[in-house]
Amino acid sequence: MGSALGSDQLYLPETVSTAAKILIVGHFAVGKTTFVGTLSEIRPLRTEETMTQAGALVDDLAGIEGKTTTTVAMDFGRLTLSERLVLYLFGAPGQKRFTQLWKDMTYGALGALVLTDTRRLDQSFDIMGLLEEHAVPYAVAVNHFDGAPSYPEEEIREALDLLPETPLVTCDARDRISSTQALISLVQYLQTRIPQEQT
């Protein structure tokens, strides 16, 4: 697939015939805002606010003590994957108190990319469970963090209890190329599901 990365175009080409809503989800502080910002060809919408002392009582900052902001509504970006296909990226906040917002965002979503961190794999279960509850197909991308442990793919699959067909990739949310590849793996997976769902 061709990509319009780096074009920073405000308007879509007239050739675009398909638009898809894609969710970028994951637990708290896994890199969703960074991921959307890295890939968006337009200035991304961000709803980040400075974290307060009150938030320390509900947000687990273990291992991420340097985090100072958090998404309070959503991130939004756009990525043209080819001359005919554009993706609208919706990044959801990671804290469990936003569960109702997660549910609302699943409406109309073609699929989701679940970002996860090897230091906190268990925190992905609630999000994957909600996607499964709302029949939103997903792929999983292990976001690279400096100093995070690295495990073989089969161990991560087992730890996350992934189905064999669920794509599992690694990426660095700060890197445009690897983030694009993670998103493409999701799109390719979604394309394989379309004929099955139409029969």
Side-chain angles (χ1 to χ4, degrees):
M1 288 185 203
S3 174
L5 287 175
S7 64
D8 200 28
Q9 59 186 13
L10 185 59
Y11 301 104
L12 288 174
E14 294 179 1
T15 56
V16 170
S17 58
T18 305
K21 176 183 180 182
I22 299 293
L23 304 182
I24 308 300
V25 296
H27 53 72
F28 177 56
V30 76
K32 301 176 296 294
T33 297
T34 300
F35 188 94
V36 172
T38 296
L39 288 183
S40 183
E41 65 197 15
I42 58 174
R43 183 183 300 238
L45 167 69
R46 291 186 170 136
T47 59
E48 285 197 305
E49 294 293 337
T50 301
M51 297 180 69
T52 64
Q53 194 62 34
L57 301 175
V58 290
D59 295 330
D60 182 8
L61 296 177
I64 50 170
E65 290 82 2
K67 186 168 177 60
T68 59
T69 61
T70 185
T71 299
V72 295
M74 69 173 186
D75 301 306
F76 174 77
R78 187 187 79 199
L79 176 63
T80 305
L81 271 190
S82 73
E83 62 182 16
R84 296 193 310 162
L85 174 63
V86 65
L87 304 181
Y88 291 107
L89 310 176
F90 289 78
Q95 297 95 317
K96 197 169 183 178
R97 64 180 178 273
F98 292 107
T99 299
Q100 185 57 53
L101 179 59
W102 299 347
K103 291 179 180 179
D104 293 342
M105 291 178 73
T106 62
Y107 294 114
L110 185 65
L113 184 67
V114 179
L115 294 184
T116 192
D117 175 354
T118 56
R119 297 168 297 183
R120 297 175 288 150
L121 289 174
D122 60 309
Q123 294 183 23
S124 300
F125 288 119
D126 287 339
I127 290 139
M128 293 189 302
L130 186 133
L131 293 172
E132 291 167 2
E133 177 186 335
H134 289 270
V136 178
Y138 62 88
V140 176
V142 178
N143 191 15
H144 172 76
F145 286 91
D146 296 335
S150 178
Y151 300 105
E153 178 180 325
E154 57 271 19
E155 289 186 19
I156 295 175
R157 281 189 169 280
E158 183 176 355
L160 293 175
D161 195 26
L162 298 180
L163 295 173
E165 63 269 22
T166 302
L168 174 64
V169 298
T170 58
C171 74
D172 183 335
R174 302 163 295 183
D175 179 73
R176 184 170 276 184
I177 294 175
S178 73
S179 295
T180 302
Q181 289 302 319
L183 208 51
I184 288 173
S185 72
L186 169 64
V187 172
Q188 290 174 334
Y189 173 58
L190 296 175
Q191 288 175 331
T192 67
R193 294 173 56 87
I194 292 173
Q196 298 172 8
E197 295 175 349
Q198 289 178 343
T199 58

